[in-house]
Amino acid sequence: KAGVTQTPRYLIKTRGQQVTLSCSPISGHRSVSWYQQTPGQGLQFLFEYFSETQRNKGNFPGRFSGRQFSNSRSEMNVSTLELGDSALYLCASSWSNRANTGELFFGEGSRLTVL
Amino acid sequence: DQQVKQNSPSLSVQEGRISILNCDYTNSMFDYFLWYKKYPAEGPTFLISISSIKDKNEDGRFTVFLNKSAKHLSLHIVPSQPGDSAVYFCAASGNSGYALNFGKGTSLLVTP
């Protein structure tokens, strides 16, 4: 079956703009998580959604937001972009409602560059 | 505050030898630990995991050891193969299980 699909794969924005990233989970997966990967910090948890409800949020400012739709697709939005937001944004989906089952499938990521 | 630490950014090992990747954690509430492997331009893929009720879990060439008293885990790859060259992330999960806390990764290079 198709894997986790993230769009766009690459994008360039300027400071102050906003960006929306999209994630389509594996069919049947109801949990979607978002992670930010930067060289200095590794992978950091942004938020997790299950059945359209945000169940957990990482330590990121309110400029980072997300949502999940009834078909489990998810979007994340970053407003008022800063240079430090340049990163690879990874989406992961799971059939389980717990990330620690190990069955967390990642997409290839959306690489955001903020100029 | 980094709760999962991988203090070695890189490791180089000869093909056929053992690769040992280390990971330390600070949060005693973590009860499940996982290793993910990441190739360039791909998302991380799950490799192996271990629950805090165990001290060893083996899957083929991959073995994870957990030392709870030292808050330390390690991933052993025996024998190492060139295709194992990738970035390896250690991750830990607590009671909620909704989020994984990742280390910064160790880049493994296996040379022929």
Side-chain angles (χ1 to χ4, degrees):
Chain A
K1 52 185 172 182
V4 177
T5 304
Q6 291 188 245
T7 56
R9 290 291 313 280
Y10 303 91
L11 66 166
I12 299 173
K13 293 285 187 178
T14 56
R15 280 181 298 176
Q17 287 187 309
Q18 68 93 26
V19 66
T20 299
L21 308 177
S22 179
C23 173
S24 293
I26 292 173
S27 178
H29 286 192
R30 295 167 63 189
S31 169
V32 174
S33 306
W34 289 89
Y35 289 82
Q36 180 196 64
Q37 184 186 7
T38 58
Q41 297 297 323
L43 278 84
Q44 292 190 293
F45 173 74
L46 281 156
F47 23 67
E48 188 265 353
Y49 290 88
F50 185 85
S51 294
E52 301 180 69
T53 300
Q54 185 184 90
R55 297 190 299 184
N56 202 7
K57 191 176 192 302
N59 189 25
F60 279 82
R63 300 185 296 107
F64 291 81
S65 63
R67 59 177 175 170
Q68 186 181 34
F69 302 96
S70 59
N71 62 358
S72 293
R73 191 177 70 84
S74 177
E75 288 181 348
M76 68 162 283
N77 185 78
V78 187
S79 62
T80 319
L81 285 166
E82 300 176 359
L83 295 178
D85 297 333
S86 295
L88 180 67
Y89 290 88
L90 291 160
C91 169
S93 76
S94 172
W95 60 268
S96 170
N97 62 357
R98 289 178 66 86
N100 59 9
T101 62
E103 293 296 327
L104 203 61
F105 295 86
F106 283 86
E108 294 178 322
S110 293
R111 183 163 295 281
L112 170 66
T113 301
V114 182
L115 302 176
Chain B
D1 181 31
Q2 199 80 18
Q3 299 185 73
V4 177
K5 299 177 183 179
Q6 294 177 258
N7 293 319
S8 297
S10 62
L11 175 68
S12 183
V13 172
Q14 273 192 317
E15 182 179 6
R17 302 269 186 143
I18 182 171
S19 294
I20 300 176
L21 294 91
N22 293 304
C23 177
D24 298 295
Y25 62 96
T26 58
N27 190 337
S28 58
M29 299 301 291
F30 287 152
D31 60 1
Y32 204 84
F33 305 89
L34 310 93
W35 286 92
Y36 280 80
K37 180 169 72 172
K38 186 180 186 298
Y39 293 116
E42 294 183 11
T45 55
F46 170 70
L47 193 58
I48 192 170
S49 63
I50 187 167
S51 164
S52 60
I53 62 173
K54 295 185 176 181
D55 55 18
K56 177 183 174 181
N57 189 26
E58 197 170 351
D59 184 2
R61 297 185 297 113
F62 303 91
T63 303
V64 56
F65 296 92
L66 175 62
N67 182 334
K68 283 177 292 185
S69 61
K71 293 190 179 69
H72 176 84
L73 63 155
S74 61
L75 174 68
H76 292 210
I77 307 173
V78 184
S80 301
Q81 300 173 354
D84 296 330
S85 297
V87 177
Y88 289 78
F89 290 96
C90 171
S93 177
N95 290 339
S96 73
Y98 300 150
L100 290 179
N101 295 270
F102 283 89
K104 295 184 180 181
T106 296
S107 179
L108 173 66
L109 177 65
V110 180
T111 57

